[in-house]
Amino acid sequence: MRNILLVARKEIQEGLRNRWVLATTLLLAALALTLTFLGSAPTGNVGAGALDVVIVSLSSLTIFLVPLIALLISHDAIVGEMERGTMLLLLSYPIGRWQVVIGKFVGHVAILSFATLIGYGAAAAALAVTGVSSDLASWTAFLSMILSSILLGAVFIAIGYLISALVAERGTAGGIAIGVWLFCVLIYDMALLGLLVVDQGRVVGGELLSALLLANPTDAYRLLNLGSESVGALSGMGGVADNAALGATTLIVALLAWTIVPLAAAIMVFARREL
């Protein structure tokens, strides 16, 4: 455990030195505050609570931005150290390869968690300062959105580590990471939407739709935060959530599996790789 924490601290210090922490926190805070003040403006017209509108806006922002940030900070975590020759120096100490991967993962998740908590917390503070009243259910949904956003980031950090363990050059890792982001965030959903339109419910039933949604971590996150009763009608995901019939526990377990499996695969690949 001590070795893992030492590697995690090293990653956090590098994140501070490279301005990753500052840049990510400011970016998330600026976008969250913008969406909070602009996105909650039409609540009087649509009859929805201001915090519910903010949850929909921030969840949509998270689906596009958090996976991209996670992949950018993690895609060269292993291959980058190998190219610079620092991995050999690190492994010359009494530390296991799995401890290096886990320590780096903990450090990167800590960086993303800090940025998400501060960035999205600023939006909550802004609503509280302006006197916007919301019920306990909305605040619970907001807290759930923040925690699940961190979990979504952990998913793509783990995927970034697997990419970094498989390739031989940083440039290749960067290209694959962008491809993974495009596929998960844009292409998969467009293909799924096209399939549902063409199928018209003849082949794709509730169980198959549930499996297809769980096969993409961003869809599991979207359904978890935008398919609930309080924001389902506002986000337009209420109908999909009813047909898929996936509970919150199932969606959280799916996101945890999407984190553990790629991270375990990265550890196994890195353990067998020649330096």
Side-chain angles (χ1 to χ4, degrees):
M1 179 58 75
R2 183 172 178 272
N3 289 338
I4 292 175
L5 294 178
L6 286 174
V7 175
R9 187 176 69 176
K10 167 182 167 293
E11 287 300 320
I12 294 172
Q13 288 174 340
E14 288 186 358
L16 291 170
R17 187 165 56 247
N18 297 332
R19 303 290 191 271
W20 262 115
V21 178
L22 179 63
T24 305
T25 304
L26 291 178
L27 177 63
L28 288 178
L31 292 174
L33 288 172
T34 302
L35 289 175
T36 297
F37 288 115
L38 296 181
S40 60
T43 52
N45 298 324
V46 300
L51 191 56
D52 292 336
V53 176
V54 170
I55 291 171
V56 173
S57 301
L58 292 184
S59 297
S60 301
L61 170 69
T62 299
I63 291 168
F64 286 93
L65 196 57
V66 169
L68 181 61
I69 293 172
L71 288 169
L72 287 176
I73 64 177
S74 65
H75 75 277
D76 65 344
I78 297 174
V79 69
E81 295 249 18
M82 293 175 67
E83 280 190 358
R84 292 189 294 271
T86 51
M87 185 62 77
L88 279 174
L89 177 63
L90 183 60
L91 292 176
S92 66
Y93 294 96
I95 183 172
R97 293 193 182 193
W98 68 272
Q99 292 174 318
V100 172
V101 176
I102 295 292
K104 284 178 168 289
F105 176 79
V106 171
H108 281 147
V109 170
I111 291 173
L112 196 60
S113 300
F114 177 82
T116 305
L117 287 173
I118 298 299
Y120 290 180
L127 283 177
V129 169
T130 54
V132 174
S133 62
S134 298
D135 55 21
L136 180 61
S138 295
W139 282 110
T140 303
F142 186 80
L143 179 61
S144 174
M145 185 270 297
I146 292 179
L147 296 178
S148 59
S149 298
I150 295 172
L151 183 55
L152 181 67
V155 168
F156 281 90
I157 288 174
I159 293 174
Y161 274 49
L162 179 58
I163 296 170
S164 190
L166 287 171
V167 303
E169 297 179 355
R170 294 176 61 192
T172 306
I176 295 175
I178 296 299
V180 168
W181 178 79
L182 284 172
F183 177 79
C184 291
V185 174
L186 296 175
I187 298 174
Y188 187 91
D189 286 340
M190 292 175 64
L192 181 58
L193 180 61
L195 174 64
L196 294 176
V197 171
V198 172
D199 182 70
Q200 293 292 319
R202 290 188 294 270
V203 176
V204 182
E207 293 183 358
L208 181 56
L209 177 61
S210 298
L212 291 172
L213 291 172
L214 292 178
N216 185 354
T218 59
D219 282 334
Y221 171 87
R222 181 183 283 112
L223 209 57
L224 179 62
N225 289 286
L226 301 181
S228 62
E229 293 182 0
S230 59
V231 300
L234 189 62
S235 66
M237 288 291 293
V240 177
D242 291 340
N243 289 328
L246 292 170
T249 302
T250 303
L251 295 169
I252 292 172
V253 169
L255 289 173
L256 288 173
W258 267 106
T259 304
I260 295 171
V261 172
L263 187 63
I267 291 172
M268 288 189 291
V269 171
F270 182 52
R272 299 177 180 178
R273 184 166 178 173
E274 293 184 4
L275 299 179

